[in-house]
Amino acid sequence: MNTLRTTWLTLLLWSLITPLTHAGESDEPLRICSAAWPGFIEVEDGRVVGGITHDVIHEAFRRLNRSVEMRELPWSRCLKNVEDGSYSAATDEFFPNRNPAFSQSQVHFNSAIFGICVRQDAPQQSLSLDLLQGQRVGTVRGYIYTPNLLAKANWTAVQTKDEDQLYTLLEHGRVNFIVCDYWSALQRAQVRILQPFLDTTELGVVFNKAHGESLRRAFDQTIGEMLADGTIDRLYKQHTGASDPATESPSLLESQ
């Protein structure tokens, strides 16, 4: 009887730890999709080939003994493909995503940081909603802005087709303000970002819940280890020369 009880307990413990320790073991590459995001998701011919998110994802799944294939897709299609199971996961999605078809990572390694950019010679030094009231503000058509930002916008949006056109609009004085991505703005010497940031939100990876729950738990554990051992901070500094500043102070919209 003791032998049977010991065997049963051993099998039970093995069934509990196997999803975490072997979640990544498979000959099939894990298919992950995302939308292009300069500095985070760099794309060539539809393949994600570089950027902070790319490097973090590949390192995390390398530690889980799992190969990864990352593709760029329109964001709505990317999420739909994860929902129907043709892709295993999508990154980077605003947190939280309450779609019951998804299991979203609970340990986060990056943030979306939106600011208001002005020209270097502009007189404005700090940001308030009163400053933007009724102003013409440049945005990029099709960009994914936070729900909070869209709900509280008190300006008239002047849409451009891409980021280059957005910054040209500002540089030529056709608008005095643009909604800018923090990381992209760092690469533009002719602009500066007013403080505080306009809005920030944590981003996460969403997995197909039917097939990826154990994988999500293993991924969260690995990202936690990478945060603790400094890997993610090193990757940020490698790409940008700086750490993620999103947690340093609340954004303007967070404080409203």
Side-chain angles (χ1 to χ4, degrees), residues 1-15:
M1 181 64 71
N2 286 338
T3 301
L4 287 174
R5 183 178 296 132
T6 300
T7 301
W8 181 84
L9 287 172
T10 300
L11 290 172
L12 176 61
L13 287 171
W14 179 254
S15 70

Side-chain angles (χ1 to χ4, degrees), residues 81-255:
N81 285 352
V82 175
E83 189 171 353
D84 67 24
S86 55
Y87 276 74
S88 298
T91 187
D92 300 284
E93 169 64 329
F94 294 144
F95 182 85
N97 182 308
R98 295 185 172 86
N99 187 327
F102 296 146
S103 176
Q104 188 167 25
S105 57
Q106 302 298 301
V107 183
H108 309 113
F109 61 86
N110 62 6
S111 307
I113 308 171
F114 294 104
I116 292 294
C117 281
V118 297
R119 293 183 299 278
Q120 283 286 3
D121 60 356
Q124 296 86 3
Q125 298 299 320
S126 60
L127 179 61
S128 69
L129 284 179
D130 287 344
L131 178 67
L132 302 176
Q133 178 72 45
Q135 296 288 325
R136 285 162 42 88
V137 176
T139 62
V140 178
R141 184 182 298 108
Y143 259 31
I144 304 166
Y145 296 106
T146 64
N148 199 25
L149 188 156
L150 295 174
K152 295 181 179 179
N154 62 351
W155 57 81
T156 300
V158 179
Q159 294 191 327
T160 64
K161 67 177 182 179
D162 56 31
E163 278 199 337
D164 287 339
Q165 191 177 75
L166 179 72
Y167 285 96
T168 298
L169 201 69
L170 181 65
E171 184 180 353
H172 291 176
R174 295 173 186 165
V175 296
N176 292 323
F177 308 99
I178 60 172
V179 178
C180 55
D181 172 74
Y182 170 80
W183 299 106
S184 296
L186 286 183
Q187 313 304 316
R188 310 272 182 163
Q190 73 272 26
V191 306
R192 55 186 171 83
I193 308 170
L194 297 180
Q195 293 295 323
F197 296 131
L198 180 61
D199 199 19
T200 64
T201 186
E202 290 181 316
L203 300 173
V205 179
V206 290
F207 295 84
N208 176 284
K209 192 168 188 176
H211 305 107
E213 183 63 24
S214 63
L215 189 62
R216 193 274 303 165
R217 292 198 302 270
F219 177 80
D220 279 353
Q221 179 178 318
T222 303
I223 291 297
E225 293 167 357
M226 291 170 63
L227 287 165
D229 67 23
T231 298
I232 289 175
D233 191 54
R234 175 179 58 78
L235 289 172
Y236 263 91
K237 290 176 179 176
Q238 176 181 312
H239 282 273
T240 69
S243 300
D244 185 349
T247 58
E248 292 179 3
S249 59
S251 68
L252 176 65
L253 297 184
E254 285 176 312
S255 63

Side-chain angles (χ1 to χ4, degrees), residues 24-75:
E25 294 183 5
S26 172
D27 293 333
E28 289 293 323
L30 183 69
R31 301 184 75 205
I32 299 177
C33 58
S34 187
W37 181 13
F40 286 79
I41 298 290
E42 301 289 353
V43 177
E44 288 182 6
D45 299 323
R47 296 181 303 109
V48 179
V49 296
I52 295 171
T53 297
H54 168 276
D55 290 0
V56 170
I57 292 289
H58 276 268
E59 173 60 17
F61 285 107
R62 183 194 67 78
R63 296 185 184 194
L64 291 170
N65 301 313
R66 188 68 183 266
S67 61
V68 175
E69 175 188 306
M70 295 185 70
R71 305 287 298 185
E72 183 259 347
L73 294 174
W75 188 238

